Amino acid sequence: DGAGHDLDLPPRSLLVLSGEARYGWLHGLATRRLDALPGGQGLRARVSRVSVTFRTVRAPGERCDCAFPELCDSQQAESGGAAT
C-alpha cells in the first residue's frame, strides 16, 4: 500500500524476512538518535546495530527460479526487463 511502518526491534532481536516481505518491501534502519518505544513508553537511545544479510550465490549461467519473477533483479535482467 506504500505506507511506511515502524517496527521496534529491542536489542539482541532477530528479524527474518521471507517471501513477499523479502522481495517486494523496502526495508532498512532509519538514521536517528532515538527510538520511540511502543505504547508511548518513552524513548530509547540508539546504539550500534549489526545487520547481517545472507545471500544465495548462483554459479555462472545458473538461472534464478524464485517465486517472485516480477520483483527479482536476476530474473528481470535475464528477461531484459527492469525490476521496480
Side-chain angles (χ1 to χ4, degrees):
D1 66 1
H5 301 280
D6 289 332
L7 175 63
D8 179 52
L9 295 175
R12 302 186 62 79
S13 294
L14 172 68
L15 175 65
V16 177
L17 299 177
S18 63
E20 182 184 359
R22 177 180 175 196
Y23 290 98
W25 298 1
L26 294 177
H27 48 278
L29 299 174
T31 303
R32 55 182 171 228
R33 295 177 191 259
L34 299 171
D35 287 312
L37 297 173
Q41 298 175 16
L43 299 174
R44 178 177 54 231
R46 278 273 174 104
V47 295
S48 294
R49 298 187 82 120
V50 176
S51 176
V52 178
T53 303
F54 292 95
R55 305 257 186 223
T56 300
V57 178
R58 294 185 314 276
E62 183 180 353
R63 297 182 57 87
C64 177
D65 63 353
C66 72
F68 298 91
E70 69 281 0
L71 302 172
C72 176
D73 293 336
S74 297
Q75 290 189 48
Q76 291 295 317
E78 291 168 358
S79 68
T84 57

